[in-house]
Amino acid sequence: MPAKLASIRERARVLLDGICHVCPVCDGRRCPTGVPGMGGIGTGASFRNNVTALAAWQVNMRVLHDRKDQDLGLRLFGQKLAFPILGAAVAGARVNFQGRVSEEELARAFVLGAAEAGSLSLTGDGPLPELMDAGLKAIKAAGGRGIPVIKPREDGEIVNLIRRAEDAGAVAVAIDVDAAGLVNMTRAGQLVEPKTVDQVAGIAAATSLPLILKGIMTVADAEAAVAGGAAAIVVSNHGGRALDHTPGTAAVLPEIAAAVGDKIIVLADGGVRSGVDVLKMLALGARAVLVGRPLAVAAIGGGAAGVRLQLEALADDLAVAMRLTGCGDLGDIGPGILKKGW
């Protein structure tokens, strides 16, 4: 680990005392808090399953080949990205981080750090208006290089928030449909609900921005997203923070990508901690991956510079993993580089 990144993590460990141990291996086994906080919901099984599902895949090393240079670049939502690693939506600083960082500081760190690294970050939503406000403000400051995530609110309210995203110049907009049962929203008297295909279609038709549905864990929901006209899905269990005892995302990603990967952009998150983990997700069918907790630690400890350094470290690790598996560019990455673990 680069010395600067190590010092950023150490600073985050101090600032997050009692919230997150900043463990050497972030697998949910020693989390001091669940939800709110940095851990998983209930027993934490869904969080841990994300990590173990990725660990179940091994990588076939190949070093006799002509793929000597690695190109990590891609285009996504009309943007040229330096690598297929995006910031996930991490928000709720007052609740999840006990106010030790402000919502604006958190959003700016994610969005501006990702933009400086040549990528994109998502921003969050929640019962307090400051979450959406901070995210949109950061996206506007980054020249639109960001994607706001809206809770599955009443349809008209979602469209109103999409208008604000359009005004901020966002490159796309997302709905985290896996937040349909979040207690913090219902306790605040704010409606969140599952969405029908017709509702998705109506929302997609209301904007020219690409619509992303985050929280897809089954082929049936993926096919419903396609039918509703979504531009992309994120295979995600909300970082293990929405429903206990769900599978890890890497366990369900292959069947979802096989079913709809030629019809819709498939993204994924959950348990990604290294460039090798990114490589695995790409090989399992994701076009790009979202990273949450590692970037949250980097943001708390180092702001936008910390997020940029963490993303660049992941990208460097991915480049090495590609070279050692015979992959010159992202198009070379496929299921053939993986082997199911014992």
Side-chain angles (χ1 to χ4, degrees), residues 104-151:
E104 282 200 11
E105 289 171 327
L106 185 63
R108 284 180 63 85
F110 267 78
V111 174
L112 298 183
E116 290 169 5
S119 187
L120 296 167
S121 182
L122 283 69
T123 63
D125 183 18
L128 299 174
E130 66 187 44
L131 277 70
M132 181 60 65
D133 294 346
L136 292 176
K137 185 176 180 180
I139 289 170
K140 190 169 185 177
R145 285 185 68 89
I147 301 171
V149 180
I150 302 169
K151 289 285 179 277

Side-chain angles (χ1 to χ4, degrees), residues 28 230 247 263 326:
K263 304 170 188 174

Side-chain angles (χ1 to χ4, degrees), residues 17 62 98 111 150 163 167 173 182 203 257 274-275 293 299 316:
D17 182 47
R62 284 195 58 221
Q98 299 178 13
V111 174
I150 302 169
R163 295 289 172 262
D167 290 342
V173 66
L182 287 190
I203 294 167
S274 68
R293 288 179 177 92
D316 289 346

Side-chain angles (χ1 to χ4, degrees), residues 1 5 8-10 12 16 20 22-27 38 47 51 54 85-88 90 97 106 109-110 239 269-275 277-278 289-314:
M1 180 184 298
L5 200 51
I8 285 169
R9 286 176 58 84
E10 184 56 38
L16 291 171
C20 173
V22 190
C23 299
V25 178
C26 177
D27 58 10
M38 291 278 278
F47 177 1
V51 177
L54 269 172
I85 311 167
L86 285 65
V90 177
F97 301 121
L106 185 63
F110 267 78
D269 69 17
V272 175
R273 304 290 182 261
S274 68
D277 287 339
V278 174
V289 304
L290 281 56
V291 178
R293 288 179 177 92
L295 291 191
V297 169
I300 298 294
V307 170
R308 175 179 58 80
L309 283 171
Q310 180 63 80
L311 282 170
E312 290 173 347
L314 289 168

Side-chain angles (χ1 to χ4, degrees), residues 29-339:
R29 297 187 184 280
R30 295 185 61 241
C31 284
T33 61
V35 181
M38 291 278 278
I41 197 167
T43 67
S46 296
F47 177 1
R48 295 191 298 274
N49 288 346
N50 281 338
V51 177
T52 56
L54 269 172
W57 292 98
Q58 298 174 348
V59 182
N60 294 322
M61 186 164 68
R62 284 195 58 221
V63 292
L64 301 179
H65 57 77
D66 62 357
R67 310 300 263 174
K68 300 179 186 297
D69 299 311
Q70 280 61 51
D71 179 3
L72 278 61
L74 73 160
R75 291 194 68 84
L76 198 62
F77 308 123
Q79 305 296 306
K80 184 178 180 180
L81 305 186
F83 42 73
I85 311 167
L86 285 65
V90 177
R94 188 183 303 186
V95 176
N96 292 316
F97 301 121
Q98 299 178 13
R100 299 180 195 182
V101 62
S102 74
E103 200 65 49
E104 282 200 11
E105 289 171 327
L106 185 63
R108 284 180 63 85
F110 267 78
V111 174
L112 298 183
E116 290 169 5
S119 187
L120 296 167
S121 182
L122 283 69
T123 63
D125 183 18
L128 299 174
E130 66 187 44
L131 277 70
M132 181 60 65
D133 294 346
L136 292 176
K137 185 176 180 180
I139 289 170
K140 190 169 185 177
R145 285 185 68 89
I147 301 171
V149 180
I150 302 169
K151 289 285 179 277
R153 302 169 177 273
E154 186 273 328
D155 294 0
E157 189 174 359
I158 290 175
V159 172
N160 288 338
L161 290 172
I162 288 175
R163 295 289 172 262
R164 293 183 60 194
E166 293 168 342
D167 290 342
V171 302
V173 66
I175 303 172
D176 54 345
V177 289
D178 50 0
L182 287 190
V183 174
N184 66 334
M185 294 293 291
T186 55
R187 284 179 178 168
Q190 299 184 34
L191 170 72
V192 285
E193 63 178 10
K195 297 297 181 184
T196 66
V197 170
D198 287 343
Q199 285 178 293
V200 171
I203 294 167
T207 181
S208 60
L209 293 178
L211 177 64
I212 306 164
L213 299 183
K214 186 185 80 68
I216 303 302
M217 288 290 288
T218 64
V219 170
D221 271 2
E223 290 174 338
V226 172
I233 58 173
V234 183
V235 179
S236 172
N237 63 9
H238 211 90
R241 294 169 61 80
L243 178 65
D244 207 356
H245 298 291
T246 62
T249 53
V252 301
L253 175 59
E255 59 184 349
I256 291 173
V260 302
D262 59 344
K263 304 170 188 174
I264 197 169
I265 295 170
V266 177
L267 310 174
D269 69 17
V272 175
R273 304 290 182 261
S274 68
V276 176
D277 287 339
V278 174
L279 182 76
K280 290 179 182 182
M281 286 290 206
L282 298 178
L284 293 171
R287 183 88 60 90
V289 304
L290 281 56
V291 178
R293 288 179 177 92
L295 291 191
V297 169
I300 298 294
V307 170
R308 175 179 58 80
L309 283 171
Q310 180 63 80
L311 282 170
E312 290 173 347
L314 289 168
D316 289 346
D317 193 23
L318 172 61
V320 171
M322 289 172 62
R323 173 171 285 200
L324 293 178
T325 53
C327 300
D329 57 35
L330 302 183
D332 289 336
I333 302 173
I337 70 169
L338 298 181
K339 183 180 182 63

